[in-house]
Amino acid sequence: MQGKHDIRIDRSKLHPQLNYKLGLLLKKCKKKGIYLIVTEGFRSKEQQDMLYAKGRTVPGNIVTNARGSSYSSQHQWGIAFDIAMNYDIDGDGKVSDDTWNIKGFQRVAKIAKSIGLGWGGDWKSFKDTPHFYLKKWGSTTAKLKQQYGTFENFKNTWSASVDRGMGLILWKDALKTKKILRIPNGERVQVLYTKLWYAKVKYQGKYGFVNKKYI
Ligand SMILES: [Zn+2]
């Protein structure tokens, strides 16, 4: 059977670095014949409130302890996604009975951690096996709240404009050995992260490095 990833989220709403790592994860999983359903990504305050109501004011089981207004879900900051399994793990010829197969999650977690993602299955108090996230701010949203205050402030760091008359070279690597292209002045780039002299950015579908002074 030909497997396939099933992406049910709007990837453009994720933090650019998370979206990049999700892309890597999907590629690496596919190579091993592991296929995923990506079920959850960014969640607005309203969406988080609807989720919070589940098992409380509307029928169903309780699935979260985070109210929308608390911004304590990593999904509200665009730094997490949830997955389910989309391949035959137990070898019975069916896929549907493997959606929550823990063996699948463990396999994926191993790959995800090798590319620097955090896994909710490693949490001590509340294990969240479908949940993967950017580790930079820890396993809670406390640091994000402290550092940025609001999601809007945080989101403003996800992109920037080139501010250099002659444009800005997009390098393939941080050692500046190979040029990809020159980004014209005033163009917007997505910012994955900044480090030393550079920023890793995405421009016109291409990933590379630019001098962070000029964005
Ligand atoms: Zn989650």
Side-chain angles (χ1 to χ4, degrees):
M1 199 199 87
Q2 181 76 32
K4 235 177 125 189
H5 292 308
D6 180 0
I7 316 290
R8 299 182 184 170
I9 65 163
D10 181 353
R11 289 181 59 179
S12 72
K13 288 189 172 173
L14 299 178
H15 186 289
Q17 195 181 7
L18 184 69
N19 191 20
Y20 172 73
K21 285 184 188 283
L22 172 59
L24 270 183
L25 180 70
L26 293 171
K27 219 164 120 181
K28 283 176 182 283
C29 282
K30 189 180 171 185
K31 268 190 191 159
K32 291 185 186 289
I34 295 171
Y35 296 96
L36 310 178
I37 307 170
V38 184
T39 58
E40 289 272 324
F42 172 75
R43 242 181 249 146
S44 67
K45 179 178 171 291
E46 291 69 31
Q47 288 167 323
Q48 185 67 34
D49 278 330
M50 274 163 58
L51 207 64
Y52 183 80
K54 258 194 192 173
R56 293 187 173 91
T57 52
V58 303
N61 295 320
I62 287 182
V63 288
T64 182
N65 287 320
R67 284 177 197 272
S69 57
S70 72
Y71 282 87
S72 53
S73 166
Q74 290 177 322
H75 291 281
Q76 291 181 273
W77 295 85
I79 61 157
F81 59 79
D82 297 335
I83 59 164
M85 298 300 124
N86 198 30
Y87 74 112
D88 180 15
I89 299 169
D90 56 15
D92 66 352
K94 279 188 299 180
V95 170
S96 59
D97 62 336
D98 292 314
T99 311
W100 306 111
N101 190 318
I102 186 66
K103 271 190 204 151
F105 286 97
Q106 285 163 345
R107 282 176 197 155
V108 176
K110 201 175 159 193
I111 301 168
K113 287 193 244 179
S114 79
I115 55 173
L117 285 168
W119 182 37
D122 286 333
W123 290 345
K124 297 285 173 277
S125 53
F126 173 72
K127 281 202 195 307
D128 192 355
T129 45
H131 186 93
F132 292 86
Y133 63 99
L134 287 181
K135 286 196 300 189
K136 198 170 174 180
W137 299 276
S139 58
T140 73
T141 60
K143 256 192 196 156
L144 284 164
K145 282 187 229 178
Q146 185 188 49
Q147 202 172 334
Y148 299 99
T150 66
F151 171 66
E152 282 312 307
N153 289 342
F154 180 52
K155 204 182 171 189
N156 283 339
T157 67
W158 296 11
S159 65
S161 297
V162 170
D163 184 16
R164 195 181 185 214
M166 64 190 293
L168 192 53
I169 293 167
L170 181 67
W171 297 94
K172 201 172 164 57
D173 56 354
L175 295 171
K176 299 200 269 194
T177 54
K178 193 165 182 276
K179 293 175 189 176
I180 298 175
L181 49 79
R182 186 179 290 268
I183 307 170
N185 189 25
E187 284 289 279
R188 277 196 90 71
V189 295
Q190 288 180 39
V191 182
L192 280 70
Y193 61 85
T194 57
K195 196 176 168 181
L196 307 172
W197 63 272
Y198 60 84
K200 182 165 185 181
V201 303
K202 185 184 188 185
Y203 176 69
Q204 289 186 342
K206 294 184 173 73
Y207 289 98
F209 301 84
V210 297
N211 190 329
K212 69 179 181 185
K213 261 198 318 204
Y214 301 111
I215 58 169

